[in-house]
Amino acid sequence: MRKLAFAMNVSLDGYTAAPGDNLGWSTPSDELFQWWSDRVGSTGLALYGRRLWETMSSHWPTADQQPGATPAEIEFARRWRDMPKVVFSSMKSTVDWNTRLVAGDAVTEITRLKADDGGSMDIGGATLAAAAMRAGLIDEYAIVTHPVLVGGGTPFFTTLDNCVNLSLIETRMFPGGVVLTRYETRR
């Protein structure tokens, strides 16, 4: 059975994006960018909601070909293109870059994917992750907390019907006061 992790940059007040889908507050240091790149390189399958997919696919497929691309950006772009991906959307009709489109019920498909053999899975996109969270499908939360209050926007956590008990499995400091905390779901 595959493990499913929800990993995102989060403001101190709990948002993955500020109002207007502003992500400017979450620009990573070189060390944090490398952590994200290594995570992408070790992910067996990435699950994306439509909006996060559109954000990622608007930049990373050709980021390594842009003038001034750093070695780290070139590496991330290659890893991102190579990583198998599933996009959940009833609004998209096509996807590229080693990606499969699912228009049906996300919880049913994620449950099926978790039962398969293979590497770990990361889920991204607040709406998609919220559905998986409410269904009890997330095994790990990797919260990269930035020292900023954005005052509103897209929350990392959704409203739940039941308490979810977690165990802290890692903490790490990054430059600029950014803190990684990883929690495993206790079942």
Side-chain angles (χ1 to χ4, degrees), residues 16-17 23 28 35-36 44 72 74 78 93 119 122 135 145 153 163 167 175:
T16 60
L23 300 173
W35 181 85
W36 280 114
I74 292 167
R78 179 188 52 78
S93 59
D122 266 8
T145 306
C163 180
S167 297

Side-chain angles (χ1 to χ4, degrees), residues 38-130:
D38 292 344
R39 186 171 184 92
V40 166
S42 66
T43 297
L45 180 64
L47 312 178
Y48 283 101
R50 178 189 54 84
R51 286 190 307 174
L52 183 57
W53 164 255
E54 288 174 348
T55 298
M56 296 297 284
S57 67
S58 71
H59 178 72
W60 289 111
T62 59
D64 56 338
Q65 300 160 21
Q66 300 305 311
T70 67
E73 290 168 333
I74 292 167
E75 176 184 54
F76 186 94
R78 179 188 52 78
R79 287 175 165 178
W80 187 86
R81 279 192 309 266
D82 291 348
M83 176 181 58
K85 297 170 280 299
V86 175
V87 173
F88 292 85
S89 174
S90 58
M91 299 175 71
K92 305 256 341 142
S93 59
T94 61
V95 290
D96 294 316
W97 307 290
N98 201 21
T99 306
R100 179 172 64 88
L101 182 63
V102 173
D105 180 65
V107 169
T108 300
E109 180 64 9
I110 294 168
T111 301
R112 187 190 73 72
L113 290 168
K114 278 191 68 160
D116 284 349
D117 291 330
S120 64
M121 298 187 303
D122 266 8
I123 190 167
T127 303
L128 179 63

